[in-house]
C-alpha cells in the first residue's frame, strides 16, 4: 500500500507546486471562499510586518492568528509554501493511517459479531468484506489531497490547512489509543480555533471503548478516566495559553483571537451563514442571535454523543461537519476535512436518499460562488443578495448531505439488528419510517 | 431645512453647554481656589474675587455691549462731521486697560490663472491668563464664547477651519494658511487635563454649537493623535502628543450658517471695517472658500515674561473672474464683494489692505487704482514679495468720495508662475469593491535641493490598510522612510494613523502606495447615500522647504556681496503644510431593503439543520403500518364520539 500512497503524495505535491508557480496564486489568495479574516495569509504577513514595526500585531483589527502561528512563521515565512504542502501531506498521511487502523477494528468487531451470531441471517449483504475495505484508506487520502477545495486552500496559504493537520493528528492519536497525545492535539486544535472543543466527546467515547471502560455515570472508572483526560487536556491548554502570553508578553491575543471568533465583528462575505445575517441584523437583537448561532455549534454534541456512543468515529465526522457548517468564519478548507471521511462510509451508499441532488447542488454552488461574486463586486450588475442566496443553498446542501449520512448510518444499524427485509404483520414487504 | 434644524440643535447644545458652564464654573471656582491655596499668596481674596465674578457675568457682559454702543455712536458721528479725526485711535483711548488689541488686514493677490485670491486676517491679542485665574469675566474685544471654551476645557491651542473647495496648489501657488476640504480641528490641551478623550468629546460638541457645524460627528473613529506632524504653534514646548487631538470631517459642507457665527466673533461684527466685505452671497460664489479660527498663546514682548492669547480669524477666498467675466481680466472690491470700504473698524489698532504687486513693478501687467505710494516688502512662504499698502485708518485713503473701491485692470494675459516647490496629489487605484490601493504623489520641484517631508495619513477603519504593502519609490528606486509611526485601526473604534518621514530627492516625484481592503459594514453603519461613497480625509504633508530666496544665488545685484554668501537661516527654509485631495471610496453594500427577509431565510436554514438532526436524534425506525382509508377514519371518529369501539 505504500507505493500508491507515495504516488498520490507526489501527484498532490506536484499539482500544488505547479499552482504556486502559476499566476493564479494571487487570485486564489484573494478569494473569500478560500480565505477568511482568521486564516488569510495576507493577514499573517501583516502581523509579521507589524511586529517588525514594533507594534503589537493585536493592536489592530487585521491580525487574528494565535501567537504560536506568528512564532512559527517568524522562522518559516520564507518556506511558507513548503510548510503548507507539508501540512497537507501530514493531514493526508494521518488520515490514511487513522482510517486503516479504524477499518481493522471495524473488521475485527464484525468478525466477533458474526462468530457470536449477532447479526440476522438476511443481513449478510450488509457485512463488509476486506476486499472492499482495502482501498478505503487510500481513497480517504486521495479525497483530501486531490479535493479542489484542499488544493485551493493550500495554494492560498490559508492557515486552515494547519488547523486541519492538527485535527487529523488528533484523530490519528485518538484512534491509535494514545490518551496523552490525543489530549495535546485536541488542546492545540482548540487553541487554534475554539470549535474543535466539541471533539472531546467522541475522543472520550473512543478511548473508553478501547480501554473497555463502560460508559456508565455510576461507575468510578468512567469518571476517573474523564478526569484524567480533562486534566491532560486542560493542562496542555494552560501551557499553550501561558506560552503564548510569554511569547508576546500580553494577553491582547485573547480578545483579538477568541473574541473575534465569538463576536463576529468582521462581516467580510464568506461561505457561512453569519456575515449577511449580522450585516442585516437589528442592533438590539444582535447579541441574542449571536448567542443562538454560536450555541448552535456546541449544541449538538451531547445528543449526538448519546445517539452515537457506540460509533465515536462517525461522531467525529458528524461533529466536523457541524462545525464547518455553523462556525463563524468557515472556508472551503473546513469542508474538505470532513469530506475526506466520505469514502469511509461508502457501505452506506445504498441507504442514501438524495446524494445525487446534494452533490449536484454542491458542485453548482461551488461554480456559482466566483460568478456571483464577480457580478456583485466587479461588474456591479448584481447585488449582495445573489451571493447570499448561493451561500444559503450551499449550506442547505451541506446540511442535507450530513443528515443523509446520519440517516443512512442509523438505518444500517437498525437493519443489522432487525434484519434487512422487514415484513409487516400481514406478511407484505414493509417500509421503514422514522417515528 | 436640514441646515436650519442643525442650526437650531446646535444653538440648543450651546445654550445647554453655556448654562452648564455658569453652573459648573462657580463650583469650580471655589474648588480650585481651595486647591491653589499654596500657589496663590492671598487665598481669601482669590475666592472672593471668584465669587464676585460668578455672580456678575451677565451684568458685565451687558455693560460691555453698552459701552461699545456708546463708543461707536459718537465715533461715527465724529467721522461724519470731521474727516480728520482718526477712528482707530479714538476707540482704545476710552478703554480702561489697553491690554487687548485688534488688527485687521486683507491681502489680495492676483493669481496667474486669472483668479483673485483674497485673504482676510483678523487678529485679537489679549494679555490675560485663562488657566491661572479662576474666572475671566470681563471681555472686551476677545469673544466671550471662545474665552469660556478655552478656560473650561483647558485648551492650550485650538485650530479649526471650514473649507469649501480644494486649493489648487499647481495653479494658485501656496496659500497663506492651508486647510483641507471640509472641517478640520486640532487642539492641544493643557497638561492638567486628565481625561483628554472626554474633554475632546465635549469640546467638539460645544464648538459644533458655536460654529453651527456638524463637529459633533467627531468621535473616536475619526480622531487621531499625530506624533510629529502637528506641533504647537504658540509658545510652550509641549511635545507629549497624548494631549493632542486631530480630526477632519471631509464631508462637511461649509455655508452661510457657518459664516454668520464666525463673523459674530469679530469685535465690529460685520458692521464696520473689512468685515463689511464678507457678504455670503458673494463669498460662496467662488472657487474656494476657507474660514478658520486659530487660538494660541503668544509672547507679549521680546523677553516673553508675560503671555497673551492670540485669536486669529482668517478667511481665504478665491474668485474666478476670468471665466465669469467673458475673458476680461478686471476686478474691483465692488465686483468681488458687492461692497466698497468706507471706514476701518473703530476698535482696530491697524487696518490695512495689501495688494501683491511683485510681478508688476513697473505697472506693465496691470493697472491699480487708486494708486498708493506706500509699498511694503515681506518674505512670504520663502519668496520676497512686494505689496501696495492701503491704510484704512488714514482718512486720505478713502479720498474725496469717502469710499475705497480698489480696481485692477490687466493689460496682458501673460506671465507664468514659478511652480510651487512642493505639491502633492492622491488617488485611489484598482477596480471592484474588494480591494484597492491608495497612491500619494509628492513632487519636489526644487532643482538641486532635497528635503524631508512628514506625511500624515488618517484612514477610516473600514478601509483595512495592509502596512506590509507600503512602498515608497522616488525616481524608480525604493526610498525607505527614516521614520514610520503606524497605529493600526480597531473596528468601529479608531482609524488607521500612518505618519512617516520621507526624504524627497531634488526634482523628483515620490510615490507612496499602500493597499487596502474594503469592509462590509452593518446596514445601519452606512450613510443615507451609501453608493455616493465614503470620504477619506486629506493627507497632511508638513515640511521645511528650502526657500526661493535662498535658491537665488545669483541675486547679488541688490544686496552687498558680504551678506550673500551663506544663506541666512531665517530665509533659507520655510514651513509649508499642504493637504492633498480627500478621497471618495465606494464600499460594498448589503441590500438595505431586506433585513427581515435575510433574518427569516438564514433562520430557516438553521432550522432545517436543527430539524433534520432533531428528527434523526429523537425518533427511531419503525415499520410503517398501512394507514386506514379516509372513510374508515371518519367512521372511527364518529364511533368515538358515540362511545362505540372503533372498527
Amino acid at each position: 500500500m505504500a507505493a500508491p500512497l507515495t504516488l498520490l503524495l507526489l501527484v498532490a505535491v506536484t499539482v500544488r507546486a505547479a499552482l504556486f508557480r502559476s499566476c493564479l496564486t494571487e487570485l486564489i489568495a484573494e478569494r473569500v471562499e478560500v480565505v477568511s479574516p482568521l486564516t488569510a495569509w495576507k493577514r499573517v504577513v501583516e502581523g509579521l510586518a507589524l511586529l517588525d514595526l514594533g507594534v503589537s500585531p493585536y493592536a489592530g483589527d487585521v491580525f487574528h492568528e494565535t501567537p504560536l502561528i506568528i512564532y512559527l512563521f517568524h522562522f518559516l515565512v520564507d518556506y511558507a509554501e513548503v510548510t503548507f504542502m507539508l501540512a497537507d501531506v501530514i493531514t493526508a498521511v494521518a488520515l490514511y493511517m487513522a482510517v486503516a487502523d479504524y477499518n481493522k477494528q471495524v473488521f475485527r468487531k464484525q468478525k466477533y459479531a458474526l462468530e457470536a451470531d449477532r447479526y440476522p441471517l438476511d443481513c449478510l449483504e450488509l457485512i463488509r468484506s476486506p476486499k472492499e475495505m482495502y482501498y478505503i484508506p487510500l481513497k480517504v487520502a486521495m479525497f483530501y489531497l486531490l479535493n479542489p477545495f484542499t488544493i485551493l486552500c493550500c495554494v492560498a496559504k490559508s492557515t486552515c490547512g494547519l488547523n486541519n493537520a492538527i485535527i487529523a493528528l488528533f484523530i490519528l492519536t485518538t484512534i491509535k489509543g494514545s490518551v496523552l497525545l490525543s489530549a495535546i492535539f485536541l488542546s492545540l486544535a482548540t487553541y487554534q480555533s475554539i470549535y474543535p472543543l466539541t471533539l472531546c466527546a467522541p475522543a472520550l467515547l473512543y478511548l473508553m471503548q478501547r480501554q473497555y471502560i463502560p460508559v456508565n455515570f455510576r461507575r468510578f472508572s468512567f469518571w476517573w478516566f474523564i478526569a484524567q483526560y480533562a486534566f491532560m487536556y486542560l493542562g496542555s491548554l494552560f501551557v499553550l495559553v501561558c506560552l503564548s502570553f510569554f511569547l508576546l508578553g500580553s494577553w491582547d491575543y485573547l480578545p483579538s483571537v477568541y473574541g473575534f471568533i465569538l463576536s463576529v465583528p468582521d462581516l467580510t462575505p464568506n461561505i457561512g451563514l453569519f456575515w449577511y445575517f449580522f450585516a442585516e441584523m437589528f442592533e438590539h437583537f444582535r447579541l441574542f442571535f449571536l448567542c443562538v448561532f454560536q450555541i448552535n455549534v456546541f449544541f449538538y454534541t451531547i445528543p449526538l454523543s448519546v445517539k452515537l456512543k457506540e460509533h465515536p468515529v462517525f461522531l467525529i465526522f458528524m461533529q466536523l461537519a457541524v462545525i464547518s457548517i455553523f462556525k463563524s468564519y468557515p472556508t472551503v478548507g473546513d469542508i474538505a476535512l470532513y469530506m475526506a471521511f466520505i469514502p469511509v462510509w461508502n457501505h452506506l451508499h445504498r441507504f442514501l436518499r438524495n446524494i445525487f441532488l446534494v452533490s449536484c447542488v454542491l458542485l453548482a454552488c461551488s461554480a456559482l460562488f466566483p460568478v456571483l461574486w464577480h457580478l456583485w463586486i466587479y461588474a456591479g450588475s448584481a447585488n449582495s443578495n445573489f451571493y447570499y442566496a448561493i451561500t444559503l443553498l450551499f449550506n442547505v446542501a451541506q446540511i442535507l448531505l450530513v443528515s443523509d449520512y446520519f440517516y443512512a448510518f442509523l438505518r444500517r444499524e437498525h437493519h443489522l439488528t432487525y434484519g434487512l427485509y422487514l415484513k409487516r404483520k400481514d406478511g407484505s414487504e414493509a417500509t421503514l419510517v422514522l417515528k | 431645512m436640514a441646515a436650519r434644524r442643525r442650526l437650531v440643535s446646535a444653538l440648543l447644545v450651546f445654550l445647554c453647554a453655556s448654562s452648564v458652564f455658569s453652573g459648573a464654573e462657580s463650583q469650580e471656582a471655589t474648588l480650585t481656589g481651595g486647591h491653589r491655596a499654596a500657589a496663590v499668596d492671598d487665598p481669601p481674596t482669590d475666592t472672593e474675587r471668584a465669587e464676585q465674578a460668578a455672580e456678575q457675568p451677565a451684568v458685565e457682559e451687558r455693560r460691555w455691549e453698552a459701552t461699545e454702543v456708546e463708543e461707536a455712536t459718537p465715533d461715527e458721528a465724529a467721522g461724519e462731521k470731521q474727516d480728520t479725526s482718526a477712528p482707530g485711535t479714538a476707540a482704545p483711548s476710552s478703554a480702561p486697560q489697553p491690554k487687548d488689541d485688534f488688527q485687521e488686514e486683507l491681502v489680495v493677490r492676483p493669481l496667474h490663472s486669472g483668479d483673485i485670491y483674497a485673504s482676510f486676517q483678523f487678529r485679537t491679542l489679549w494679555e490675560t491668563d485663562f488657566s491661572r485665574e479662576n474666572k475671566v469675566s470681563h471681555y472686551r474685544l476677545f469673544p466671550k464664547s471662545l474665552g469660556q471654551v478655552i478656560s473650561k476645557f483647558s485648551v492650550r491651542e485650538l485650530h479649526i477651519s471650514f473649507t469649501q473647495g480644494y486649493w489648487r496648489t499647481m495653479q494658485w501657488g501656496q496659500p497663506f494658511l492651508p486647510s483641507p476640504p471640509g472641517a478640520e480641528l486640532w487642539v492641544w490641551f493643557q497638561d492638567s487635563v486628565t481625561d483628554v478623550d472626554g474633554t475632546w468629546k465635549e469640546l467638539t460638541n460645544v464648538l459644533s454649537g458655536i460654529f453651527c457645524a456638524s463637529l459633533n460627528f467627531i468621535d473616536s473613529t475619526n480622531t487621531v493623535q499625530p506624533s510629529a506632524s502637528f506641533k504647537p504653534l504658540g509658545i510652550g514646548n509641549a511635545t507629549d502628543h497624548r494631549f493632542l487631538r486631530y480630526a477632519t470631517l471631509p464631508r462637511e459642507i461649509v455655508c452661510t450658517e457657518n459664516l454668520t457665527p464666525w463673523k459674530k466673533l469679530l469685535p465690529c461684527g460685520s458692521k464696520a471695517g473689512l468685515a463689511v466685505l464678507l457678504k455670503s452671497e458673494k463669498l460662496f460664489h467662488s472657487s474656494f472658500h476657507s474660514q478658520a479660527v486659530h487660538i494660541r498663546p503668544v509672547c507679549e514682548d521680546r523677553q516673553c515674561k508675560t503671555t497673551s492669547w492670540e485669536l486669529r480669524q482668517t478667511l481665504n477666498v478665491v474668485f474666478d473672474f476670468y471665466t465669469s467675466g467673458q475673458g476680461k481680466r478686471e476686478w474691483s472690491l465692488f465686483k468681488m464683494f458687492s461692497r466698497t470700504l468706507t471706514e476701518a473698524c473703530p476698535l482696530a489698532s491697524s487696518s490695512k489692505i495689501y495688494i501683491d504687486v511683485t510681478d508688476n513693478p513697473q505697472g506693465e501687467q496691470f493697472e491699480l487704482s487708486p494708486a498708493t505710494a506706500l509699498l511694503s516688502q515681506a518674505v512670504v512662504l520663502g519668496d520676497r514679495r512686494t505689496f501696495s499698502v492701503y491704510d484704512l485708518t488714514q482718512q486720505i485713503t478713502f479720498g474725496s468720495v469717502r469710499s475705497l473701491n480698489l480696481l485692477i485692470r490687466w493689460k496682458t494675459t501673460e506671465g507664468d508662475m514659478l511652480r510651487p516647490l512642493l505639491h502633492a496629489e492622491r488617488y485611489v487605484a484598482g477596480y471592484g469593491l474588494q480591494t484597492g490601493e491608495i497612491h500619494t504623489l509628492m513632487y519636489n520641484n526644487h532643482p538641486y535641493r532635497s528635503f524631508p517631508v512628514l506625511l500624515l495619513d488618517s484612514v477610516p477603519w473600514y478601509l483595512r490598510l495592509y502596512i506590509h504593502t507600503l512602498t515608497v519609490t522616488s525616481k524608480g528606486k525604493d526610498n525607505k522612510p527614516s521614520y514610520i509611526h503606524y497605529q493600526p485601526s480597531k473596528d468601529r473604534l479608531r482609524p488607521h494613523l500612518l505618519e512617516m518621514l520621507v526624504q524627497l530627492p531634488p526634482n523628483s516625484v515620490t510615490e507612496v502606495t499602500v493597499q487596502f481592503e474594503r469592509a462590509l459594514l452593518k446596514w445601519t453603519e452606512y450613510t443615507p447615500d451609501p453608493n455616493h461613497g465614503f470620504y477619506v480625509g486629506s493627507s497632511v504633508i508638513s515640511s521645511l522647504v528650502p526657500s526661493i530666496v535662498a535658491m537665488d544665488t545669483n541675486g547679488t545685484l541688490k544686496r552687498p556681496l558680504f551678506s550673500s554668501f551663506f544663506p541666512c537661516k531665517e530665509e533659507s527654509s520655510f514651513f509649508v503644510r499642504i493637504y492633498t485631495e480627500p478621497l471618495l471610496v465606494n464600499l460594498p453594500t448589503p441590500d438595505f431593503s431586506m433585513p427581515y427577509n435575510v433574518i427569516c431565510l438564514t433562520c430557516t436554514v438553521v432550522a432545517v439543520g436543527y430539524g433534520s438532526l432533531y428528527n434523526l436524534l429523537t425518533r427511531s425506525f419503525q415499520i410503517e403500518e398501512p394507514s386506514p382509508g379516509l372513510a374508515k377514519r371518519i367512521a372511527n371518529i364518529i364511533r368515538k364520539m358515540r362511545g362505540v369501539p372503533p372498527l
Side-chain angles (χ1 to χ4, degrees), chain B residues 9-10 26 71 85 109 192 211 270 294 325 415 464 469 493 582 594 616 632:
Chain B
S9 62
S26 53
E71 275 169 23
S85 79
R109 180 197 271 182
S192 54
F211 292 104
S270 52
H294 302 276
R464 300 206 170 87
T469 61
L493 269 182
M594 48 183 278
L616 293 162
K632 199 176 174 183

Side-chain angles (χ1 to χ4, degrees), chain A residues 30 43 46 59-61 265 276 279-281 296 299-300 307 377-378 384-385 388 424 430-431 433 435, chain B residues 433-434 466-468 489-492 494 517 523 590-591 594 598 602 610 617 619-620 622-624:
Chain A
E30 295 267 295
R43 295 184 184 237
E46 176 74 8
D61 249 345
Y276 207 52
E280 297 268 6
M281 178 48 65
N296 209 21
F299 173 75
Y300 300 107
K307 189 88 177 178
I377 296 295
Y378 293 101
S384 45
N385 294 342
Y388 165 66
R424 270 198 215 123
T431 47
V433 287
K435 267 185 185 164
Chain B
L433 297 176
Q434 192 179 2
Y466 285 96
I467 196 69
H468 73 268
S489 70
K490 275 273 182 201
D491 283 5
R492 299 172 182 90
R494 63 159 197 244
E517 200 175 271
W523 70 303
D591 186 343
M594 48 183 278
V598 169
T602 311
Y610 176 80
L617 285 168
R619 299 183 185 195
S620 58
Q622 279 170 17
I623 294 168
E624 188 190 36

Side-chain angles (χ1 to χ4, degrees), chain B residues 158-165 177-187 200 207 211 213-215 218 230 246-255 258 262 288-295 312-316 538 540 577 579:
Chain B
L158 185 147
H159 303 268
I160 185 168
S161 75
F162 299 97
T163 307
Q164 187 71 28
L177 277 158
S179 56
E184 184 198 41
L185 174 65
W186 56 286
V187 175
W200 166 250
L207 288 176
F211 292 104
S214 351
L215 295 174
I218 292 177
F230 288 90
Y246 172 82
T248 52
L249 294 173
R251 216 192 162 146
E252 180 74 7
I253 310 284
V254 183
C255 204
N258 307 111
W262 184 88
F288 176 83
H289 168 93
S290 168
Q291 61 188 66
V293 170
H294 302 276
I295 299 172
R312 215 180 256 256
Q313 285 179 259
T314 65
L315 190 142
N316 296 300
S538 311
V540 187
R577 177 168 290 150
Y579 293 92

Side-chain angles (χ1 to χ4, degrees), chain B residues 294-335:
Chain B
H294 302 276
I295 299 172
R296 58 176 182 178
V298 292
C299 284
E300 182 63 22
D301 46 14
R302 205 173 269 267
Q303 275 81 38
C304 212
K305 276 179 189 151
T306 52
T307 61
S308 45
W309 286 84
E310 182 197 69
L311 164 70
R312 215 180 256 256
Q313 285 179 259
T314 65
L315 190 142
N316 296 300
V317 62
V318 174
F319 293 102
D320 180 2
F321 282 106
Y322 194 53
T323 47
S324 62
Q326 284 95 38
K328 229 169 89 185
R329 294 173 71 170
E330 181 189 306
W331 62 265
S332 62
L333 280 186
F334 188 75
K335 230 174 146 181

Side-chain angles (χ1 to χ4, degrees), chain B residues 582-614:
Chain B
L583 300 175
L584 185 57
V585 184
N586 266 313
L587 295 186
T589 51
D591 186 343
F592 297 100
S593 61
M594 48 183 278
Y596 286 103
N597 302 7
V598 169
I599 292 168
C600 291
L601 288 170
T602 311
C603 286
T604 309
V605 171
V606 173
V608 165
Y610 176 80
S612 53
L613 285 177
Y614 178 82

Side-chain angles (χ1 to χ4, degrees), chain B residues 471-485:
Chain B
T471 59
V472 184
T473 48
S474 29
K475 292 183 166 172
K477 273 182 289 183
D478 200 31
N479 181 357
K480 204 175 174 330
S482 49
Y483 165 78
I484 294 185
H485 172 75

Side-chain angles (χ1 to χ4, degrees), chain A residues 17-308:
Chain A
L19 277 174
F20 271 128
R21 295 283 161 272
S22 75
C23 56
L24 290 172
T25 324
E26 293 213 351
L27 183 78
I28 294 169
E30 295 267 295
R31 300 296 318 161
V32 287
E33 299 88 6
V34 182
V35 295
S36 72
L38 273 175
T39 60
W41 176 247
K42 203 175 174 186
R43 295 184 184 237
V44 177
V45 178
E46 176 74 8
L48 291 172
L50 285 177
L51 211 58
D52 283 347
L53 277 179
V55 184
S56 161
Y58 300 108
D61 249 345
V62 166
F63 185 77
H64 303 288
E65 300 283 351
T66 51
L68 281 189
I69 290 281
I70 309 188
Y71 193 67
L72 177 71
F73 284 110
H74 192 68
F75 299 107
L76 290 180
V77 71
D78 296 331
Y79 311 103
E81 295 176 3
V82 180
T83 313
F84 283 102
M85 285 197 276
L86 199 66
D88 272 9
V89 167
I90 288 173
T91 316
V93 172
L95 289 179
Y96 177 89
M97 288 161 69
V99 169
D101 207 63
Y102 171 66
N103 274 347
K104 254 185 237 160
Q105 290 173 35
V106 167
F107 192 67
R108 201 186 312 133
K109 252 190 220 166
Q110 187 178 280
K111 209 172 101 190
Y112 289 146
L114 274 176
E115 280 167 4
D117 268 341
R118 235 181 279 151
Y119 293 139
L121 281 178
D122 58 351
C123 279
L124 280 179
E125 54 186 291
L126 290 182
I127 303 299
R128 306 175 68 188
S129 68
K131 205 178 125 202
E132 66 168 43
M133 284 164 76
Y134 183 70
Y135 285 110
I136 285 177
L138 189 66
K139 277 189 202 163
V140 168
M142 201 193 291
F143 252 64
Y144 187 76
L145 279 180
L146 299 185
N147 189 338
F149 288 165
T150 326
I151 295 175
L152 289 178
C153 191
C154 178
V155 173
K157 295 191 250 184
S158 158
T159 51
C160 181
L162 301 181
N163 298 354
N164 283 353
I166 294 170
I167 295 176
L169 285 172
F170 155 73
I171 295 170
L172 174 66
T173 48
T174 312
I175 287 181
K176 291 275 180 196
S178 158
V179 182
L180 178 65
L181 282 177
S182 158
I184 288 175
F185 279 115
L186 183 62
S187 67
L188 251 178
T190 317
Y191 166 81
Q192 279 294 100
S193 61
I194 303 169
Y195 298 114
L197 172 67
T198 58
L199 293 176
C200 69
L204 278 170
L205 287 174
Y206 188 89
L207 291 168
M208 282 196 268
Q209 202 180 63
R210 213 184 142 91
Q211 299 186 4
Y212 305 106
I213 299 169
V215 182
N216 188 336
F217 293 111
R218 263 169 274 167
R219 288 290 191 81
F220 173 74
S221 56
F222 171 77
W223 289 112
W224 176 238
F225 185 78
I226 286 189
Q228 273 179 320
Y229 193 80
F231 177 75
M232 284 185 261
Y233 172 71
L234 292 176
S236 45
L237 200 60
F238 179 75
V239 169
L240 283 172
V241 168
C242 290
L243 191 64
S244 316
F245 171 73
F246 291 121
L247 279 180
L248 289 177
S250 79
W251 295 109
D252 286 349
Y253 75 95
L254 288 178
S256 191
V257 178
Y258 306 116
F260 184 78
I261 293 174
L262 292 177
S263 68
V264 202
D266 191 325
L267 302 171
T268 311
N270 56 36
I271 56 170
L273 295 167
F274 278 70
W275 64 277
Y276 207 52
F277 187 71
F278 287 104
E280 297 268 6
M281 178 48 65
F282 298 101
E283 203 50 42
H284 49 285
F285 288 127
R286 196 180 145 79
L287 185 65
F288 169 72
F289 276 104
L290 205 56
C291 296
V292 170
F293 271 51
Q294 295 287 9
I295 288 170
N296 209 21
V297 187
F298 301 97
F299 173 75
Y300 300 107
T301 313
I302 291 169
L304 278 176
S305 319
V306 171
K307 189 88 177 178
L308 293 171

